[in-house]
Amino acid sequence: MDFEKIEQAYTYLLENVQIIQNDLATNFYDALIEQNGIYLDGQTNLEQVKKNNQALKRLALRKEEWLRTYQFLLMKASQTEPLQANHQFTPDAIGRLMIFIIEQLWPTEALSLLELGSGMGILGANFLTSMNKKVDYLGIEIDDLLIDLAASMAEVMDLQAAFVQGDAVRPQVLKESDVIVSDLPIGYYPDNQIASRYQVAAKDEHTYAHHLMMEQSLKYLKMGGYAIFLAPTDLLTSSQSDLLKSWLTDQAQLVAIVALPEDLFAQGAQSKTIFVVQKKVIEGFETFVYPLASLRDPEILLEFKENFQNWVQEHEI
């Protein structure tokens, strides 16, 4: 990866977004969508934007360099125009960990992958640029700004990604996937009538949206397929957890729990864990449980990977 090119590309993109933002009197994210469109079709009256896009094209960025450039740009945007926590993109280190887990559990050369709540599309772009296999990717996102942003960046990066706008809790007409991933949005789902159709539904209050999305995900998962969730660390002990555990016992197998280091999160109470669920095929499965102390220490990561690979081999997954 050429970080000098990335720095140059970041400078050109940031200037273009700021020019477009001032010209259209819009926000950073809409201006970035507009910039992506101009980069692809060249249609604009803004001469400096044209000039910068020509320079961008001469850099001939590879897909992973485009991705890193967009990540830096979105981090810059978050300083002045912060999005709500559920709309922020999943950190790279967690994305790489998910990729490792998927590649160990699903070793075939190709897989169909569905992301529920795909947001800005950064996690999906990580899968498409980093996985050593052919990925048929579909992202579902309810927010129109985020889905437009994700689609426009994927087009610039020349990624084979598809996106559908919709509420992931409501039924969708989708083919079953080999793997489903979700950095679950945390909070209560407001529509009790919709929630009441689910086994995890609470009786006397709004139901957790992340519980509903977990249950819904299995409807789109092939038998024996895996769902990988980034969820609150207290998922199995929080309020309404008895409903979730009852559903898990009936419908799924909890394959792995990987607790992430608290220093990844602004506050310890916001810490998250990776939960790997399989659409139930066998009973009496021994869950892999691992507290991961660091995502920055190579030795700690190597030890985790060796432990997980050994566990996969022992269980003949």
Side-chain angles (χ1 to χ4, degrees), residues 86 115-120 137 139-142 168 181-183 185 213:
N86 283 337
E115 183 179 5
L116 299 182
S118 51
M120 298 178 185
Y137 172 88
I140 296 180
E141 173 57 50
I142 192 170
V181 297
S182 184
D183 184 346
M213 286 180 67

Side-chain angles (χ1 to χ4, degrees), residues 67 71 74-75 85-98 115-124 126-127 181-184 229-230 260 264-265 272 274 295:
L67 176 56
Q71 287 174 312
L74 292 168
M75 284 189 281
N86 283 337
H87 288 173
Q88 294 169 5
F89 65 82
T90 309
D92 260 7
I94 297 176
R96 288 193 297 270
L97 195 59
M98 286 183 168
E115 183 179 5
L116 299 182
S118 51
M120 298 178 185
I122 296 295
L123 183 58
N126 264 308
F127 294 136
V181 297
S182 184
D183 184 346
L184 292 168
F229 302 110
L230 186 61
L260 299 174
L264 281 177
F265 308 96
K272 291 189 176 183
I274 293 175
L295 289 180

Side-chain angles (χ1 to χ4, degrees), residues 19-38:
I19 291 170
I20 294 167
Q21 197 175 356
N22 290 332
D23 183 63
L24 298 180
T26 190
N27 64 62
F28 191 102
Y29 305 99
D30 278 327
L32 178 54
I33 295 167
E34 186 72 16
Q35 152 61 22
N36 289 335
I38 294 169

